Every structure is written in structure tokens, then in C-alpha cells.
């Protein structure tokens, strides 16, 4: 029964990790930009959910929409105004730019909110339910289900909509897409905005699970990076598989080795995977 409970906890955690990472993977796969800002976007989404609940009484499950919309606008403007200028440049150039922007955003949050940890204390939490000896934390379970819905909507956007087809076309061959009439710069901005939207929405859901502080941004970025490489770049399914895998690794690692070594274990497995399968679990050659 203990292992079944840990399995359940790992899947719930992994679902949230997948929502954090799917936008990061999309931006990396389409723009070839390692978005170091992603962790701070997640934290900003958590703060939006926190203040929306404390001052306006809006539940974090609802503020997912607000956080997602605001982060999409921020990501769209940042990409169109700044990052578009270095798309196509060596990876180190884009890495330095996003790292500098992350320093600005993270220090701005430190000045505005301080480094103190905060958490959303719901007035009416859903609590937990025991079924067949397993404890189901309902707030976390609903958060995971919403994360799954968001990831599914992103998948449908990519495979069923005109914008999604344009994003996939640019990812496969931007010159050919431009010759077919696709506005590549606008598609890049939309893609980066979607990545920020997913980060903000994930941050809103995570505000119910983890304490909120600008100091947490580096951990969220590490999670996104590990999941992205584990699952395979540019793959929505890969981000889901990688997120669930990381959630299970952390949960069982906490049981056998200790919770403080969860990310260390994940990085060791990541190195082994890169040695034997550099494309990731579900990635395709050309994106590694």
C-alpha cells in the first residue's frame, strides 16, 4: 500500500511538472532558444494567483486564466521586442540574453515581494478522500487534472488550428514556411507567448502545492530542463512522459534515499539518458 501511495503522489506531481515543462519544450523546439526566463514566469504566475486570492478572493483554479493571459502578453512583447533580434544567433547569445532578462525579472520580484516564502491558504480546501486505503489529496488532484486539460488544449491547438500548423511548419523549416506566406516573426512571438502562458498557468496551480518565492525560480527552471530533455525536445507527449517520469523518480527517490536528493537523482538519470539516448524518450533526431 505504501508503494501505491507513493506511485499516486508521483503521478500527481508529475502531471504538474509536465505543465511546467511543455511550454519550455515548445519554445526550445520551435525557436531553438533555451528560455532561462521560464522559471521566473512560473513564479510570477504563482504570485498572480496568490494576490488574486488574498485581495480579490479568486480561487487559484480560476486565476489560471488570468495568470495565463497576462503571461502570454508579457511573453509576446518580450519575444517580439527583444528575443526576435537574436533568433538564429548562436545558442550562447540567446542564452545570455534570456539569462540577463531573468536576472531583471527575478530581482524585480525580490524588490517587490521580498524573498519571504508565502503560500495560498484556502478558506475552504477540498481536503482529501480515502479510497481503498489510498489518500487522494483533492486540491492537488484537481490541480493535476487542470494541468492535463491545459496540456491537452495545447496539443489540440498545434494539431487542429491554423496557428498550430504554422508553428509546426516553422519548427520543421522556417525558410520554407516563410516562402509559403507564414509570418515567421509573429509565429515566434505567439510561440514564446504560449510558452509563457503555460508557465503562468502552471505557477497558478503550483501556488496550492509549493511555497511562493522568487528563490524558487531556479528549481522550476531545472525541472523544466530535466523534463524537456528526458521526454525529448519539441514533443508534447515527451513533456508529459518526462514530467510523469520525474515525478515518480522524485517520489521513490525520497523514499529510498531522502527527499533532499530528488533533483540530484534526476540529473544523474538525465546524464545516463544523454549518453545512451540523446534524443530523449520520445524525441526525434535533429532536436537534441
Amino acid at each position: 500500500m505504501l508503494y501505491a501511495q507513493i506511485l499516486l503522489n508521483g503521478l500527481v506531481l508529475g502531471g504538474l511538472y509536465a505543465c511546467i515543462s511543455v511550454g519550455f519544450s515548445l519554445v526550445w523546439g520551435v525557436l531553438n532558444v533555451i528560455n532561462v526566463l521560464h522559471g521566473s514566469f512560473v513564479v510570477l504566475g504563482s504570485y498572480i494567483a496568490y494576490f488574486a486570492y488574498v485581495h480579490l478572493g479568486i480561487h487559484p483554479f480560476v486565476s489560471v486564466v488570468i495568470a495565463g493571459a497576462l503571461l502570454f502578453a508579457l511573453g509576446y512583447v518580450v519575444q517580439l521586442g527583444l528575443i526576435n533580434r537574436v533568433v538564429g544567433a548562436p545558442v550562447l547569445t540567446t542564452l545570455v540574453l534570456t539569462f540577463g532578462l531573468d536576472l531583471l525579472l527575478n530581482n524585480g520580484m525580490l524588490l517587490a515581494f521580498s524573498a519571504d516564502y508565502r503560500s495560498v491558504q484556502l478558506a475552504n480546501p477540498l481536503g482529501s478522500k480515502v479510497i481503498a486505503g489510498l489518500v487522494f489529496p483533492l486540491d492537488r488532484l484537481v490541480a493535476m487534472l487542470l494541468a492535463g486539460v491545459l496540456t491537452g488544449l495545447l496539443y489540440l491547438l498545434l494539431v487542429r488550428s491554423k496557428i498550430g500548423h504554422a508553428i509546426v511548419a516553422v519548427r520543421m523549416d522556417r525558410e520554407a514556411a516563410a516562402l509559403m506566406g507564414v509570418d515567421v516573426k509573429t509565429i515566434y512571438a505567439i510561440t514564446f507567448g504560449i510558452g509563457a502562458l503555460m508557465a503562468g498557468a502552471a505557477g497558478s496551480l503550483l501556488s496550492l502545492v509549493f511555497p511562493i518565492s522568487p528563490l524558487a525560480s531556479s528549481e522550476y527552471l531545472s525541472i523544466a530542463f530535466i523534463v524537456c530533455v528526458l521526454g525529448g525536445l519539441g514533443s508534447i507527449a515527451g513533456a508529459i512522459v518526462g514530467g510523469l517520469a520525474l515525478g515518480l523518480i522524485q517520489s521513490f527517490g525520497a523514499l529510498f534515499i531522502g527527499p533532499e536528493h530528488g533533483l540530484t537523482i534526476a540529473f544523474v538519470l538525465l546524464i545516463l539518458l544523454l549518453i545512451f539516448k540523446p534524443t530523449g524518450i520520445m524525441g526525434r533526431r535533429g532536436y537534441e
Side-chain angles (χ1 to χ4, degrees):
M1 189 57 70
L2 174 62
Y3 292 130
Q5 184 67 56
I6 292 172
L7 179 67
L8 174 65
N9 295 342
L11 291 176
V12 171
L13 196 60
L16 294 171
Y17 285 173
C19 191
I20 291 176
S21 311
V22 70
F24 183 81
S25 178
L26 183 69
V27 170
W28 195 346
V30 176
L31 279 73
N32 195 30
V33 168
I34 301 173
N35 180 21
V36 181
L37 272 164
H38 200 76
S40 292
F41 281 164
V42 175
V43 173
L44 193 55
S46 293
Y47 274 119
I48 291 171
Y50 173 81
F51 288 112
Y53 183 73
V54 171
H55 296 294
L56 302 174
I58 300 174
H59 196 288
F61 292 156
V62 179
S63 59
V64 163
V65 178
I66 302 171
L70 291 175
L71 265 295
F72 175 84
L74 177 62
Y76 187 94
V77 170
V78 168
Q79 206 286 334
L80 201 59
L82 296 172
I83 297 176
N84 238 344
R85 299 174 185 275
V86 297
V87 169
V91 172
L92 184 60
T93 303
T94 58
L95 196 63
V96 169
L97 176 60
T98 57
F99 179 71
L101 293 173
D102 181 61
L103 285 178
L104 285 174
L105 179 58
N106 202 264
N107 281 285
M109 287 192 291
L110 280 170
L111 284 172
F113 311 129
S114 82
D116 294 342
Y117 283 91
R118 310 175 194 216
S119 62
V120 175
Q121 301 293 329
L122 294 176
N124 298 298
L126 298 175
S128 58
K129 193 172 184 61
V130 180
I131 300 176
L134 289 176
V135 179
F136 288 80
L138 296 181
D139 287 307
R140 290 190 179 201
L141 204 56
V142 174
M144 185 205 73
L145 292 175
L146 285 176
V149 169
L150 287 169
T151 306
L153 288 175
L154 176 58
Y155 175 77
L156 289 177
L157 175 78
L158 292 177
V159 300
R160 296 290 177 85
S161 71
K162 193 174 179 180
I163 289 178
H165 292 164
I167 291 173
V168 173
V170 170
R171 185 184 73 181
M172 295 178 71
D173 190 330
R174 67 175 182 175
E175 285 81 11
L179 289 174
M180 297 299 292
V182 175
D183 185 341
V184 175
K185 286 187 176 180
T186 300
I187 291 300
Y188 277 163
I190 291 173
T191 303
F192 199 86
I194 291 173
L197 180 155
M198 295 300 293
S204 181
L205 297 173
L206 288 166
S207 68
L208 293 170
V209 181
F210 297 119
I212 305 163
S213 169
L215 303 178
S217 66
S218 58
E219 185 170 346
Y220 289 139
L221 178 63
S222 299
I223 288 170
F225 186 83
I226 292 171
V227 169
C228 186
V229 178
L230 270 178
L233 292 179
S235 168
I236 302 295
I240 296 171
V241 170
L244 294 176
L246 180 60
L248 292 172
I249 289 167
Q250 279 199 314
S251 295
F252 281 98
L255 174 68
F256 293 113
I257 301 177
E260 68 274 18
H261 300 300
L263 276 181
T264 305
I265 297 167
F267 269 115
V268 171
L269 291 176
L270 178 66
I271 292 169
L272 292 174
L273 183 71
L274 287 174
I275 293 172
F276 296 105
K277 195 174 189 308
T279 57
I281 297 171
M282 300 188 72
R284 288 178 295 176
R285 187 160 290 282
Y287 287 102
E288 66 269 34

